[in-house]
Amino acid sequence: MTAPQPPAPELLHDTPEPGVLRLTLNRPTARNALSTALLGAVADALDAASADPAVHAVVLTGGPAIFAAGADIKELATRDTAGALDDARVGHWQRIRRFPKPIVAAVNGLALGGGCELAMSADIVVAGTGAKFGQPEINLGLVPGAGGTQILARLAGPQIAMKLVLAGETIDATEAKQCGLVAETVADDACQARAVALAAKIAAKPALAVRLGKELVRAARDVPLEQGLLFERKAFAALFATADFREGVAAFLEKRPAKFAGK
Ligand code: CO8
């Protein structure tokens, strides 16, 4: 008799390309619903990736069938107002949003509620043509709680945000691309590979410039223009002191590929 196999972890880790960590949500029987434990596992994995010099970019995905059906409604059912305010997930979301390295989301299928918010916490979203995005919390008597009003309105504009948040409707990948919620739509079966290829391309770029580039573009969402431009000029100047700047210029002048060291 064969010994019973341990259950598969709810968050899978692999390295599909050098420098790329892929995190795959793996709760198919609950449509990848983001329980506190699963969300915490994502935040923990990103914290570890932040400290790991071998990780240069992350692909975040729910696999080929569904991205994520949102927060775990069975868990939410037991919450009251005080419990929602003290929810451990608030800290997990903050850790995910503060991750300093680039995240490429590969979205196949539904990204609803917390799933849509998780996709929005990525820096670049690649969506399969069959993907759908929505914030259906209104159907539960709620509003989104992890960026589905604030970040969605900044990324997609208030009209689309109002439609999703108030009517609970979804938008498909084409509309999501048109409104700026996703960077690219590709055939469903090409989505995972395209996200990995983008992450691999980023992983090969000079890491300090990548890091500052992410911070700068993110800041554009939140700070006044003059302040953002000042931050940009300082970052631009600071990068002149890096070995990767010298290597990039030397490689250009010597007509050879650059070898960046992340320094
Ligand atoms: N939570 C828990 N379980 C879920 C969830 C979910 N969000 N979604 C699906 N499941 C479970 C179902 O209960 C079912 O379990 P069981 O087999 O034990 O009955 C199983 O997954 C399969 O579900 P379905 O039979 O419904 O599968 P379908 O493929 O027919 O439908 C859907 C899939 C369309 C995704 C459907 O399940 C659905 O509509 N799910 C709910 C979507 C939703 O409302 N999401 C928003 C949740 S609220 C939220 O995200 C708030 C975030 C706030 C964060 C705040 C942090 C502080």
Side-chain angles (χ1 to χ4, degrees), residues 3 32 39 64 67 107 109 140 154 164 170-171 184 209 227 237:
N32 286 342
L39 196 66
F67 187 70
V107 179
L140 303 171
R154 282 166 168 80
L164 269 53
T170 57
I171 53 172
E184 272 185 32
Q227 201 179 324

Side-chain angles (χ1 to χ4, degrees), residues 29-31 33 69-74 90 93 110 113-114 117 136-137 140 145:
T29 54
R31 303 297 184 266
D72 190 316
I73 297 173
K74 290 168 189 168
V90 175
W93 281 111
L110 293 168
E117 292 167 324
E137 288 88 343
L140 303 171

Side-chain angles (χ1 to χ4, degrees), residues 10 28 34 59 71 74 151 212 221 223 226 228 241 246 259:
E10 292 189 339
L34 298 163
V59 170
K74 290 168 189 168
I151 297 173
L212 285 173
R221 221 161 58 183
V223 305
E226 275 309 321
R246 287 191 296 281
K259 275 201 210 140

Side-chain angles (χ1 to χ4, degrees), residues 1 101 112 125 136 153 155 162 166 168 182 214 228 242 259:
M1 211 170 81
K101 297 176 185 178
L112 298 179
V125 179
L155 289 178
M162 288 290 188
L166 303 185
V182 312
K214 168 168 173 160
T242 63
K259 275 201 210 140

Side-chain angles (χ1 to χ4, degrees), residues 23-44:
L23 300 175
T24 305
L25 307 173
N26 184 40
R27 277 190 90 197
T29 54
R31 303 297 184 266
N32 286 342
L34 298 163
S35 61
T36 303
L38 179 53
L39 196 66
V42 173
D44 289 348

Side-chain angles (χ1 to χ4, degrees), residues 8-233:
E10 292 189 339
L11 184 68
L12 306 177
H13 302 56
D14 73 329
T15 304
E17 289 287 342
V20 177
L21 169 69
R22 177 167 49 193
L23 300 175
T24 305
L25 307 173
N26 184 40
R27 277 190 90 197
T29 54
R31 303 297 184 266
N32 286 342
L34 298 163
S35 61
T36 303
L38 179 53
L39 196 66
V42 173
D44 289 348
L46 292 178
D47 280 350
S50 175
D52 183 350
V55 176
H56 294 287
V58 170
V59 170
L60 186 55
T61 184
I66 186 166
F67 187 70
D72 190 316
I73 297 173
K74 290 168 189 168
E75 237 181 36
L76 290 185
T78 62
R79 291 280 191 288
D80 58 10
T81 300
L85 286 172
D86 279 343
D87 200 316
R89 282 174 304 160
V90 175
H92 298 332
W93 281 111
Q94 280 169 346
R95 288 193 289 146
I96 292 168
R97 279 195 298 273
R98 287 177 191 160
F99 179 62
K101 297 176 185 178
I103 302 179
V104 181
V107 179
N108 278 115
L110 293 168
L112 298 179
C116 187
E117 292 167 324
L118 189 62
M120 288 191 289
S121 71
D123 303 300
I124 300 173
V125 179
V126 177
T129 46
K132 284 196 166 66
F133 298 81
Q135 299 287 162
E137 288 88 343
I138 195 78
N139 300 325
L140 303 171
L142 293 174
V143 292
T149 66
Q150 298 308 294
I151 297 173
L152 179 61
R154 282 166 168 80
L155 289 178
Q159 288 290 323
I160 294 290
M162 288 290 188
K163 185 169 84 161
L164 269 53
V165 170
L166 303 185
E169 288 198 353
T170 57
I171 53 172
D172 64 19
T174 307
E175 292 169 282
K177 166 88 167 48
Q178 281 164 356
C179 72
L181 200 52
V182 312
E184 272 185 32
T185 57
V186 293
D188 280 328
D189 60 3
C191 179
Q192 302 286 323
R194 174 59 183 150
V196 168
L198 255 178
K201 188 175 264 189
I202 294 167
K205 302 291 183 201
L208 294 172
V210 166
R211 185 177 176 139
L212 285 173
K214 168 168 173 160
E215 258 186 81
L216 287 162
V217 176
R218 287 223 157 196
R221 221 161 58 183
D222 305 326
V223 305
L225 181 61
E226 275 309 321
Q227 201 179 324
L229 288 170
L230 179 64
F231 180 25
E232 182 184 280
R233 279 198 303 278

